[in-house]
């Protein structure tokens, strides 16, 4: 891998993200249709320096504002939701190192990130009693090092990663994250993801069979949740940004299609409207969809601002406010992504359903991504906070 650029600040980061998004949009439908994995595109993402924008300034990074990070993911997702999903875990596990890494771990791994190295994800497991029932074990050896054993699923980014953070239970039954090289002995990444959406995330399986892990590659993740924290808020904010981006991308495709390809309904022609874009009923519908997208974008920005404020003054109250703001944005963005992805066909007409056009990828991506965690529980926590002042739980999904 050639040396990555080092981005200096927020404005530069947003400019780079917009430029990459414009290029990634051009091949998104073809990659989805053929399930052509975005190796070249991720190479460009690494080389651009965007993956290093959350590295703290004292280690040479831009340490961009939370609003900027959310907008980067939103821009990428509007172009290609699969590409946007891949670095979501990368930024989450950079954040874990910021919170719990030792100085030596931070120096090493932040250097890797600034060099363009990518973090993957080996977190979720299938067949357990619930999503936080982690069976992967991190067993300590007599010399102080560890051995990893387990099977992970939905491992977005692992196939493309240089380092794979693995969530595991240690002998003390506490959660840790082991940062494991992609080529570590005993570690196998299986490209068995066959989801109907986000087809090119390669969110397959990771198998761990007696994988050796040096002690200085393990971070005590359980400590993250013992006080006020923003781990869950940041992770969920990036998911919300992806949903908001999908909604925006679907609306843009619908606008382009109706302007250039849709025929007007004959009754509309009979009333003097020569093009589909002149149809007052379609104009009304596009106005409604635009409101949904703008609401999602606005709540995303508000949530990012709440997280940034909590970063500056982290207390139980500020962390709770940030989590509730993010939950509100996530519920709204998830609904917008699914609804606008579906409405694309309603406003565009029969031709838009042709498989060869690939417009259905927006709805498929939205429907798949929004299954990550149920918004119904977020609504519950929002209601409890508003009505009873109850702070949301510190379990990492809020």
């Amino acid at each position: 891998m050639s040396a990555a650029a080092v981005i200096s600040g927020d404005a530069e980061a947003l400019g780079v993200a917009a430029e990459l998004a414009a290029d990634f949009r051009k091949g998104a439908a073809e990659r989805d249709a053929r399930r052509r994995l975005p190796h070249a595109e991720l190479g460009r993402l690494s080389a651009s320096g965007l993956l290093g924008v959350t590295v703290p300034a004292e280690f040479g990074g831009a340490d961009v504002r939370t609003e900027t990070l959310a907008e980067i993911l939103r821009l990428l997702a509007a172009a290609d939701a699969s590409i946007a999903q891949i670095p979501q875990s990368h930024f989450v596990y950079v954040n874990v190192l910021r919170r719990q890494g030792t100085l030596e771990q931070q120096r090493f791994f932040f250097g890797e990130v600034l060099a363009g190295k990518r973090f993957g994800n080996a977190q979720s497991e299938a067949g357990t009693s619930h999503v936080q029932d982690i069976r992967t074990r991190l067993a300590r050896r007599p010399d102080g090092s560890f051995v990893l054993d387990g099977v992970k699923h939905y491992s977005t980014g692992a196939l493309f990663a240089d380092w794979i953070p693995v969530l595991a239970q240690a002998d003390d039954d506490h959660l840790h994250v082991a940062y494991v090289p992609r080529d570590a002995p005993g570690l196998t990444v299986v490209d068995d993801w066959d989801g109907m959406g986000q087809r090119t995330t390669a969110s397959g399986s990771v198998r761990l069979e007696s994988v050796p892990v040096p002690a200085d590659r393990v971070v005590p993740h359980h400590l993250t949740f013992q006080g006020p924290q923003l781990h869950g808020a940041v992770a969920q904010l990036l998911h919300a940004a992806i949903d908001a981006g999908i909604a925006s991308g679907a609306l843009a495709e619908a606008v382009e299609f109706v302007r250039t390809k849709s025929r007007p309904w004959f009754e509309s022609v009979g009333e003097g409207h020569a093009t589909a874009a002149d149809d007052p009923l379609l104009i009304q519908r596009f106005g409604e969809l635009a409101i949904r997208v703008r609401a999602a974008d606005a709540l995303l920005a508000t949530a990012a601002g709440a997280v940034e404020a909590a970063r500056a003054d982290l207390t139980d109250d500020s962390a709770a406010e940030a989590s509730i703001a993010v939950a509100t944005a996530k519920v709204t963005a998830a609904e917008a992504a699914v609804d606008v992805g579906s409405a694309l066909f309603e406003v565009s007409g029969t031709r838009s359903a042709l498989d060869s056009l690939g417009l259905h990828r927006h709805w498929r991506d939205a429907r798949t991504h929004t299954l990550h965690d149920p918004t119904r529980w977020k609504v519950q926590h929002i209601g409890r906070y508003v009505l009873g002042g109850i702070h949301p739980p510190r379990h990492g999904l809020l």
Side-chain angles (χ1 to χ4, degrees):
M1 178 187 296
S2 59
V6 178
I7 289 176
S8 60
D10 295 72
E12 183 183 359
L14 291 173
V16 171
E19 181 180 350
L20 286 178
D23 287 345
F24 293 165
R25 181 178 292 108
K26 297 171 186 175
E30 184 269 340
R31 285 190 296 273
D32 174 81
R34 298 177 179 272
R35 196 175 179 268
R36 180 172 66 77
L37 300 181
H39 290 286
E41 290 76 14
L42 289 177
R44 289 190 60 195
L45 184 65
S46 288
S48 75
L50 277 183
L51 296 181
V53 296
T54 60
V55 170
E58 59 265 35
F59 295 94
D63 198 9
V64 298
R65 294 175 60 83
T66 308
E67 297 93 329
T68 299
L69 181 61
E71 180 63 4
I72 289 169
L73 269 289
R74 193 195 69 82
L75 288 168
L76 293 176
D80 187 327
S82 288
I83 288 179
Q85 181 64 36
I86 292 166
Q88 189 271 345
S89 293
H90 170 90
F91 289 117
V92 167
Y93 284 103
V94 170
N95 202 35
V96 168
L97 287 164
R98 289 186 63 144
R99 176 78 175 184
Q100 299 300 341
T102 65
L103 180 59
E104 291 75 16
Q105 288 172 326
Q106 290 173 343
R107 283 174 177 158
F108 174 77
F109 281 114
F110 291 157
E112 290 283 276
V113 170
L114 289 174
K117 299 295 180 68
R118 296 189 290 268
F119 290 166
N121 157 40
Q123 179 169 300
S124 295
E125 301 179 11
T128 57
S129 60
H130 53 76
V131 70
Q132 292 199 327
D133 179 17
I134 302 299
R135 307 288 177 86
T136 298
R137 304 302 298 184
L138 185 67
R140 187 180 292 273
R141 288 172 160 174
D143 65 0
S145 67
F146 296 88
V147 174
L148 266 175
D149 286 280
V151 179
K152 298 291 187 176
H153 298 272
Y154 314 119
S155 301
T156 302
L159 192 68
F160 312 103
D162 299 288
W163 292 89
I164 301 178
V166 180
L167 191 63
Q169 296 274 10
D171 295 334
D172 57 6
D173 290 329
H174 286 148
L175 280 178
H176 291 68
V177 175
Y179 288 75
V180 183
R182 168 69 174 80
D183 59 357
L187 187 153
T188 306
V189 180
V190 184
D191 182 19
D192 56 359
W193 171 243
D194 64 349
M196 69 173 182
Q198 293 192 299
R199 298 185 65 210
T200 61
T201 58
S203 300
S205 305
V206 172
R207 296 174 183 166
L208 306 146
E209 301 178 57
S210 300
V211 177
V213 183
D216 62 359
R217 297 293 181 262
V218 176
V219 174
H221 191 38
H222 61 99
L223 297 180
T224 299
F225 307 102
Q226 291 187 3
Q229 49 83 31
L230 297 171
H231 174 79
V234 170
Q236 289 292 304
L237 180 73
L238 299 185
H239 282 304
I242 292 167
D243 290 338
I246 293 172
S248 178
L251 180 60
E253 291 255 34
V255 168
E256 177 67 14
F257 197 94
V258 170
R259 283 176 174 171
T260 61
K261 297 183 177 66
S262 291
R263 296 184 298 177
W265 183 240
F266 74 95
E267 290 178 285
S268 178
V269 174
E271 294 187 0
H273 307 296
T275 70
D278 293 329
D279 184 334
L281 299 180
L282 277 182
I283 291 172
Q284 175 73 19
R285 189 68 177 116
F286 270 99
E288 293 167 351
L289 297 175
I291 290 169
R292 297 292 301 275
V293 172
R294 284 174 177 251
D297 290 349
L299 287 171
L300 178 70
T302 298
V307 173
E308 185 67 16
R311 281 180 62 186
D313 183 19
L314 187 59
T315 65
D316 284 332
D317 288 340
S318 66
E321 179 58 32
S323 289
I324 292 300
V326 170
T328 303
K330 181 66 169 66
V331 171
T332 305
E335 292 175 349
V338 173
D339 291 349
V340 178
S342 176
L344 185 160
F345 304 100
E346 169 199 335
V347 297
S348 300
T350 305
R351 186 181 173 191
S352 64
L354 293 177
D355 190 59
S356 59
L357 296 177
L359 295 177
H360 45 61
R361 75 184 186 280
H362 298 289
W363 183 87
R364 289 185 289 102
D365 286 344
R367 185 64 283 176
T368 301
H369 181 253
T370 55
L371 298 175
H372 182 273
D373 52 279
T375 56
R376 60 186 178 272
W377 273 98
K378 298 185 190 303
V379 175
Q380 274 287 309
H381 291 303
I382 293 167
R384 293 171 184 177
Y385 181 76
V386 170
L387 193 59
I390 300 171
H391 286 186
R394 298 170 179 162
H395 54 41
L397 289 171
L398 279 168

